[in-house]
Amino acid sequence: MANFNIDSKKARTYDAIVIGSGISGGWSAKELTERGLKTLVLERGRDVQHIKDYPTTNMMPWEFEHRDRLPKEITDANPIASRCYNFKESSAHFFAKDNEHPYVQEKPFDWIRGYQVGGKSLLWARQTQRWSKYDFEGPARDKFAVEWPIGYDDIAPWYSHVEKFAGITGNKDGLDTLPDGEFLAPHELNCVEKYFKEQVSKQYKDRHFIIGRAAHITDPQQIHLDQGRAKCQSRTICERGCPFGGYFSSNASTIPWAMKTGNMTLRPHSVVHSVIYDDKKQKATGVRVIDANTKQMMEFYADIIFVNAAALNTNLILLNSISSRFPNGLGNDSGVLGQYIAFHNYRAHVSAEYEGFLDSTDDGRRPNGGYIPRFRNVYKQETDFLRGYAAGFGASRDTYSDQDGIGESLKASLHETKYGNWSVGSHMMGETIPKESNYVALDKDLKDPFGIPQLKISVDYDDNDEKMIKDYVEQVTEMFTNAGFKNIKAHDGHRNPGNDIHEMGGVRMGKDPKTSMLNKWNQLHACKNVFVTDGASMTSTSTQNPSLTYMAFSARAVDYAVKQMKAKSL
Ligand SMILES: Cc1cc2nc3c(=O)[nH]c(=O)nc-3n(C[C@H](O)[C@H](O)[C@H](O)COP(=O)(O)OP(=O)(O)OC[C@H]3O[C@@H](n4cnc5c(N)ncnc54)[C@H](O)[C@@H]3O)c2cc1C
Ligand code: SF4
């Protein structure tokens, strides 16, 4: 029996464990296995294999029973997921269902989750901008949160590293607010977007409008072909999973790549309960897992652990990792674990019409949009709110058909597309300020179906966000007016925090162990063999989309961890 236990323990021991197989976990797994580490990837959801497990990817609109809408009983049962624009008949199977995965909303918070191999990388909108030096310098200059322990130059080579492998389309625009990357051929702006670009640069020295940067292979390189991925066909139904691997997902890219090394063991249906801390060894020795099928608790062991469960679940796991050394959560000597949560303020939109270019259309598809990089408070403080916002911008030609008539005449008129004016629209992407009062904690009484405490989320907008919304509406309205757009309408959708799906913080990086959880290598100050490289680690939020930065942090932290292991310092 004793021998059996030793053998069984050996079989459950690896060099490294990665918790979560989404965007950040996929990258951690790739980098660890490429460096020869036997790596266990623990994923709470089911396996989703590239192509094989994309059941709707080649379905035509008429093949869906509900024409890609969801019946009322499903939307009623999932009010939170339903507020995500991608929760559709063709992609609902990639969303965690509200009623199966309860949490406590002390204040309204839409927690959108993807619980399967690949996580939310199957569903994301693939916008991938680098953060700039102004983003990393923000907290120190504007005196909020804590100073970042790294600057843009520390992360820049790792941006290049992940961009080349993932495949990012973009144009080299030469803007210091939005550094250029290793781009594949850019998508094109349409005629009204080109016109708006000209107007913006004519009228503003410090404002720009550019084509978006996105994780799509417009021009496959050998490294993409080696992954078995091909050129994006611009089908724009990416959220179903792409059989071409045209966009970056863990499923199409990092996970199969890690598997090919022969060093990865992927264990789906494995809900991580907590990290095991050994008081004597003064380090983490493994993780406790609940098998989602049998509900049996088991343990796995490793020398290093990467926590990549997505920002809020990473907080939950660390808060639930209690030991006599860490009674308030793993590595939580500072007491800041779970605090300083922030997100992106996506509340406002501005729409309008343009009466020009009536001899042109925008037929065809493009899985990308236009982008106005942040221009507020970049070089100095100039408004009554801190930080700023980026904005999306797109133009499309309105179409309709005459629906009067009956029989043959109706059929004929439905076939004849008529064109209206051009519609233009913009949405804001504002930076929010991480605050102690925006926090997550374990609920004292309520448990999830696995017996793990439910996460209590208490996150809200503040006065800074309200002022920023007002400024965004004023500035975009002015830019639209100057461009000659008509019928300008602004709208505050009052969407809940979380609906932006860019929640960050709670396990922030910082220079001082008294006020932060992680050092500059994403390593817990107080438990050096545990690394956090997902959104939980972010000290502040920038205005740019965050996932490219999680990828870069994951690759950088693995490089450091493996060097430390080889030098026997870990
Ligand atoms: C509709 C949509 C649009 C988006 N658009 C963009 C965009 O344009 N640009 C951008 O940068 N970001 C975008 N995002 C956000 C992006 O998807 C996330 O930032 C990114 O996926 C985060 O990576 P992650 O590895 O932290 O988490 P995920 O990709 O969510 O992966 C986390 C994984 O951990 C697993 N897990 C969780 N808890 C446990 C546990 N206890 N035990 C074991 N496994 C666990 C989950 O099942 C999941 O597989 C979008 C998201 C959505 C849904
Ligand atoms: S747009 Fe490109 S990435 Fe998206 S589904 Fe189509 S081919 Fe795939």
Side-chain angles (χ1 to χ4, degrees), residues 115 134 167 201 203 235 398 403:
Y115 286 170
Y134 305 104
S201 39
Q203 290 169 27
R235 306 183 329 149
D398 293 337
Q403 298 191 5

Side-chain angles (χ1 to χ4, degrees), residues 293-307:
N293 294 320
T294 64
K295 302 266 168 97
Q296 190 198 344
M297 173 88 89
M298 48 182 65
E299 294 185 354
F300 293 92
Y301 308 98
D303 296 329
I304 53 170
I305 297 165
F306 272 71
V307 193

Side-chain angles (χ1 to χ4, degrees), residues 87 93 204 268 292 369 523 542:
F87 190 66
H93 48 282
Y204 302 92
Q523 186 177 30
S542 165

Side-chain angles (χ1 to χ4, degrees), residues 144-149 315 334 336-341 434-436 504-512 514-519 522-525 532 535-540:
F144 65 92
V146 290
E147 201 176 326
W148 275 90
N315 275 274
S334 59
V336 298
L337 175 59
Q339 297 172 357
Y340 299 94
I341 302 286
K435 295 183 299 278
E436 195 180 341
M504 291 175 237
V507 194
R508 68 180 178 192
M509 295 167 78
K511 290 184 170 166
D512 184 352
K514 288 199 199 74
T515 55
S516 62
M517 293 287 297
L518 303 167
N519 68 13
N522 296 72
Q523 186 177 30
L524 280 177
H525 288 298
V532 174
S537 66
M538 307 303 276
T539 309
S540 65

Side-chain angles (χ1 to χ4, degrees), residues 57 126 187 215-217 229-248 365-368:
T57 191
R126 310 159 308 278
H187 287 120
H216 282 263
I217 302 181
R229 298 171 59 199
K231 184 169 173 159
C232 168
Q233 311 291 307
S234 289
R235 306 183 329 149
T236 60
I237 45 175
C238 313
E239 65 283 355
R240 302 179 187 183
C242 176
F244 303 95
Y247 74 95
F248 172 87
R365 291 177 296 253
R366 181 188 65 189
N368 198 353

Side-chain angles (χ1 to χ4, degrees), residues 32 64 160 176 290 296 323 391 405 442 475 492 501-502 564:
L32 287 161
F64 289 98
S160 293
D176 65 344
I290 298 168
Q296 190 198 344
S323 58
L442 301 183
Q475 295 309 311
D492 179 350
I501 325 177
H502 292 170
Q564 292 296 301

